Amino acid sequence: MSEDPTKEFPRLPVDVTRRTVFLSDKKDYKLLRASRLLVVKGVDAGKELLIEKGRVTMGRSGVCDLALEDAAVSGLHCELLTDSRGHLLRDLDSTNGLFMLGHRIREVFLRPGSEFQVGNNLIRFGSLNTLVKIPLSSRDRFGQALGRSIAMREVFAVLEKVANSNLPVLLQGETGTGKELLASALHSYSLRKRRPFIVLDCAAVPRDIIESTLFGHEKGAFTGAESSRRGVFEEADGGTLFIDEVGELDLALQPKLLRALEQQQVQRVGGVQPLEVDVRIVAATHRDLRRMVDQGLFREDLFYRLSVVEVEVPPLRDRPEDIPLLAKNFLAELTEVWPDGGLQPFRLQAEAVALLQRHSWPGNVRQLRNVLERAAQLADDKLIKASDLDLDSGRGDVGSGLVIDPRLPYKEAKARLLQRFERQYVSALLDECSGNLSRAARKAGLARNYLRNLCRKYNIPSGAD
C-alpha cells in the first residue's frame, strides 16, 4: 500500500452498482447482456425496468426496483436474482402469490419471452440486443479484504469509485463475510483517513443506552449520568462512523438517526443545543432491509438515506475460487503468531484445498479462519492435510480429543494444552457471537478487558468492544 492510499484510486463518476451474469473474466470488466421487465397487461401496464444488477425486487413498496400500484400486489412481492445460472424468479411470501401459465409457483428460471402474473399485472421478461460493461477491480484486495473472484472484484470496483466521496454506503451480506474489513478499508482509502474510524455495533448495545451511545448525554440527563459524555457521532467528527447491524436499531430511534444524517447535527440526551458534526456513514447489516421496510420494522426514508451506494457482499460459498488466497493469508498470519515451529509457513495439501472449496461455509470467511487455526494447531507438521480439517466443528466447536505430547515436561505440556483450549474456546465464542466482543464477554461470564486481551494474545479478530 502506498503512503497515500487515496492516490491509488482516481476519482471516477459514481453510478449504480451493477451485478449480474458475466460473459468474460479476462479483463477489468464483465459483460452483461441487457434484459428488462415489462408490464404488458394490468393496472401498471407500460411500466418497465432495465435489469442492471444481481437482484431486483417487485412490489407495491417504494423501495422496490419495479414499484407497482396494483392493490393486489404485496409490498415486497417477488424478486429476480441473476447469476451465472440465469435469471431466477422467486416469490417472497406474497399474499396473493406468483403465477405462471395458470400455476402458482414458488420459484422458476426465466427465459426470454417468459411471462408471469403479479397481482393483476402480466409481466414479460425479455433480453435486449445490447451489452453493458460492468467494471471490475484490477486488484485482488481492498484493504485487508481479499478476493480474486469476479464477485469480489466487482465489490472492490464499486468501493474504489466511491472511496474519495462522502456518499453513504450500505454493505449487505451474511455474518462473517468481512463487512467491517470493507468499511475500514473504505475509510483508509478516503480523504478522511487521518480522522477517526468509529464502530458502533447496534446488536451489542443495550436498548436503554443506544440513544446515549449514538448522540451522547449531558450530566444528570438520567439516573447514573454522573458526567457528560460524547456519542459516537461526536467521536467520529471529521471521520467515518461505521454502524454495524443497523437493522437491529429500534424503530423509535430511527427518526433521530435520520435527522442526524440529514442535518449533520446531533443533540445529546438532556441537552438543548444542537451540535454540528461532519461524519461519513457506512452501515452494514445481515438482514434484508427491504423486507423490513415492507414489514414496518425499518423506515423507508432511512433506508434510502443509508443506501445511496448499496453493495452486496457475496457469501464464501458463492466464491470458492477465493479460498486458496484467503487460506494462504490466514496460514501466513498463524506462522507469525506461533513462531515456535520455525519460520517455515503452514501449507495446504491439494486435497485439503479441494475439500475447503466444496464446503458450504455457513459461517463464511470467519469460519474458514477458525477451521484453519484449529488445523494448524493439531497438524503433525507444517503440511495441513484433508484429515486435519474438522469442518463439522469449524464454526467454533472445540474438539473433544486431547492432543498431548508426552515427550514434554508436565508443566510445559499442560501450558500448551491450556493455550490450545484458550485459542479454540475464544475463537468459538467470537464466532457464536458474530465477532461481537461485548456480547461474547457476557455469554462467557468474563470481563470484557480480559477477553480482549485473550483476543490480542492469540491474534483473534473481534468486533465492537
Side-chain angles (χ1 to χ4, degrees):
M1 187 182 298
S2 62
E3 183 177 353
D4 184 0
T6 61
K7 293 181 180 179
E8 294 187 13
F9 304 141
R11 288 182 179 273
L12 296 172
V14 177
D15 56 11
V16 296
T17 307
R18 297 173 174 176
R19 308 185 65 241
T20 189
V21 177
F22 62 90
L23 304 179
S24 170
D25 60 356
K26 303 300 183 183
K27 299 182 180 180
D28 293 338
Y29 60 84
K30 67 181 182 184
L31 295 176
L32 157 69
R33 184 169 298 282
S35 54
R36 72 171 181 174
L37 295 170
L38 174 66
V39 183
V40 295
K41 184 187 299 184
V43 176
D44 298 282
K47 283 191 175 182
E48 64 178 323
L49 174 69
L50 182 65
I51 300 172
E52 298 180 319
K53 56 181 181 178
R55 180 195 185 215
V56 297
T57 55
M58 291 161 270
R60 210 169 63 252
S61 172
V63 299
C64 292
D65 299 286
L66 181 58
L68 305 170
E69 298 177 5
D70 181 8
V73 175
S74 297
L76 193 62
H77 199 102
C78 58
E79 64 182 359
L80 184 61
L81 305 173
T82 304
D83 59 22
S84 57
R85 300 173 300 168
H87 301 269
L88 177 65
L89 178 67
R90 177 183 295 164
D91 184 48
L92 294 176
D93 299 319
S94 61
T95 302
N96 294 323
L98 187 63
F99 290 83
M100 178 177 283
L101 300 176
H103 299 280
R104 184 165 183 166
I105 60 172
R106 183 65 183 172
E107 59 182 38
V108 65
F109 279 99
L110 300 180
R111 295 184 296 179
S114 295
E115 294 183 341
F116 54 94
Q117 193 85 19
V118 177
N120 296 309
N121 291 304
L122 183 65
I123 301 177
R124 178 181 300 148
F125 169 77
S127 59
L128 304 176
N129 294 323
T130 57
L131 294 175
V132 179
K133 277 188 178 182
I134 309 300
L136 302 175
S137 174
S138 60
R139 301 169 178 84
D140 61 5
R141 66 178 58 231
F142 186 72
Q144 294 184 5
L146 303 176
R148 55 171 59 108
S149 62
I150 293 290
M152 286 305 294
R153 289 171 57 205
E154 186 177 347
V155 168
F156 295 165
V158 174
L159 296 180
E160 289 170 4
K161 286 183 180 181
V162 302
N164 285 337
S165 74
N166 286 320
L167 293 175
V169 177
L170 176 63
L171 302 171
Q172 299 188 103
E174 296 177 8
T175 298
T177 50
K179 298 186 290 296
E180 185 171 346
L181 287 181
L182 291 171
S184 178
L186 193 60
H187 173 73
S188 298
Y189 292 136
S190 76
L191 300 177
R192 298 171 176 262
K193 62 185 181 297
R194 303 191 190 282
R195 301 295 295 166
F197 175 73
I198 303 297
V199 178
L200 170 67
D201 187 343
C202 295
V205 182
R207 184 173 180 176
D208 56 342
I209 65 169
I210 183 66
E211 182 175 0
S212 171
T213 303
L214 274 168
F215 309 122
H217 63 255
E218 298 292 356
K219 181 179 179 180
F222 49 83
T223 302
E226 299 178 354
S227 61
S228 297
R229 176 184 171 182
R230 302 200 305 171
V232 291
F233 268 90
E234 291 182 72
E235 294 286 346
D237 190 32
T240 303
L241 174 58
F242 176 52
I243 306 178
D244 198 9
E245 295 302 347
V246 70
E248 308 298 327
L249 191 64
D250 187 77
L251 186 61
L253 194 56
Q254 292 177 22
K256 296 182 180 180
L257 175 59
L258 177 63
R259 191 178 308 116
L261 299 181
E262 291 180 337
Q263 299 178 2
Q264 288 286 287
Q265 290 182 340
V266 296
Q267 185 170 315
R268 292 180 179 177
V269 177
V272 294
Q273 186 68 29
L275 304 171
E276 300 286 336
V277 289
D278 173 23
V279 174
R280 190 208 188 154
I281 299 294
V282 180
T285 182
H286 73 282
R287 296 186 178 276
D288 186 342
L289 292 188
R290 281 186 170 83
R291 183 182 290 272
M292 291 183 68
V293 170
D294 180 51
Q295 295 170 341
L297 300 175
F298 201 85
R299 288 181 63 100
E300 182 176 333
D301 45 8
L302 179 57
F303 171 79
Y304 283 129
R305 186 68 185 181
L306 294 173
S307 61
V308 175
V309 178
E310 190 176 353
V311 176
E312 187 74 27
V313 185
L316 186 57
R317 62 181 172 276
D318 289 349
R319 49 187 185 101
E321 61 269 45
D322 287 339
I323 287 178
L325 177 64
L326 291 165
K328 181 179 179 180
N329 181 70
F330 291 151
L331 292 177
E333 292 178 1
L334 292 175
T335 302
E336 295 175 1
V337 175
W338 303 317
D340 54 302
L343 297 178
Q344 181 182 357
F346 289 101
R347 294 177 295 114
L348 274 172
Q349 192 180 50
E351 290 81 358
V353 174
L355 182 60
L356 293 175
Q357 290 183 304
R358 291 195 300 268
H359 193 59
S360 60
W361 300 111
N364 290 295
V365 179
R366 185 182 295 121
Q367 182 188 1
L368 173 64
R369 183 188 183 100
N370 290 344
V371 165
L372 293 174
E373 180 177 315
R374 184 181 188 280
Q377 295 170 31
L378 303 181
D380 293 331
D381 51 36
K382 292 292 183 177
L383 180 63
I384 297 176
K385 309 175 189 64
S387 58
D388 296 321
L389 301 174
D390 187 358
L391 298 182
D392 291 333
S393 64
R395 296 200 72 176
D397 297 339
V398 180
S400 58
L402 296 179
V403 181
I404 298 173
D405 188 349
R407 296 169 298 179
L408 298 174
Y410 171 80
K411 288 186 177 181
E412 185 176 349
K414 181 180 178 181
R416 290 196 178 189
L417 189 61
L418 177 60
Q419 287 182 347
R420 290 193 185 105
F421 165 75
E422 287 181 336
R423 289 189 189 109
Q424 293 180 21
Y425 179 81
V426 174
S427 293
L429 179 67
L430 266 295
D431 187 59
E432 180 70 21
C433 297
S434 302
N436 186 279
L437 194 64
S438 299
R439 194 188 314 162
R442 290 194 298 270
K443 187 178 183 68
L446 296 173
R448 190 169 53 180
N449 287 341
Y450 180 75
L451 182 57
R452 185 193 296 115
N453 289 336
L454 286 177
C455 291
R456 290 172 177 169
K457 177 180 178 181
Y458 298 114
N459 197 31
I460 298 171
S462 61
D465 58 4

